[in-house]
Amino acid sequence: MVSPAGTIVHGTVTEQPLDLAAHEAAVADQRAGAVVSFQGVVRDHDHGRAVISLQYEGHPSAGTVLREVAAEVAADPDVYAVAVSHRIGPLEIGDVALVAAVSTAHRAAAFAACARLVDEVKARLPIWKRQVFADGTEEWVNCP
């Protein structure tokens, strides 16, 4: 998909493992002096409680929302390309749940654009997380 600013936008919700290198390659551009990427990794704790596993479930509109967020960030004239994916399904500790990559001419713009991309995905993506704790309890979180 090409945004109005002419940048390439890639956004996917998938059950498959995510590949940081593939996202960085997707935003490669000869004009880019900076590529900033981010991986959201499943950690073994949340608010002082031990997490043993989690599962993400997405609303059917999640892919559309993810592409809309990516297109908004890509519309910034400083941004050359954006790639972002969120994983759904069961994940284990250490698995990658979110990958984002952005290319720009300069590092400050790339850091700002990648941070905005991740923040907007976290705020707007209709994906829910079910965390299972070591004590046998569970909770659903991150409902936008």
Side-chain angles (χ1 to χ4, degrees):
M1 172 178 181
V2 177
S3 76
T7 56
I8 298 170
V9 177
H10 170 77
T12 304
V13 174
T14 181
E15 292 186 23
Q16 301 303 311
L18 303 179
D19 182 350
L20 177 65
H23 285 71
E24 290 171 339
V27 301
D29 188 301
Q30 291 183 346
R31 301 170 295 163
V35 172
V36 171
S37 57
F38 170 83
Q39 290 187 107
V41 180
V42 177
R43 62 183 181 268
D44 68 355
H45 65 280
D46 189 31
H47 295 92
R49 300 173 70 189
V51 174
I52 59 171
S53 68
L54 59 80
Q55 179 169 341
Y56 285 100
E57 291 192 18
H59 186 273
S61 68
T64 300
V65 172
L66 187 65
R67 288 185 293 278
E68 288 171 356
V69 170
E72 289 170 16
V73 172
D76 181 328
D78 289 335
V79 173
Y80 294 140
V82 172
V84 60
S85 296
H86 200 296
R87 193 164 166 199
I88 56 173
L91 281 81
E92 300 298 325
I93 305 305
D95 285 347
V96 177
L98 172 66
V99 171
V102 176
S103 63
T104 67
H106 302 285
R107 72 178 174 271
F111 277 111
C114 193
R116 178 177 170 223
L117 176 61
V118 171
D119 289 346
E120 287 296 315
V121 165
K122 294 286 286 177
R124 294 171 42 192
L125 197 61
I127 288 183
W128 296 268
K129 176 172 66 175
R130 177 181 159 256
Q131 297 188 113
V132 179
F133 297 102
D135 65 6
T137 62
E138 63 182 56
E139 72 177 354
W140 287 91
V141 292
N142 291 352
C143 302

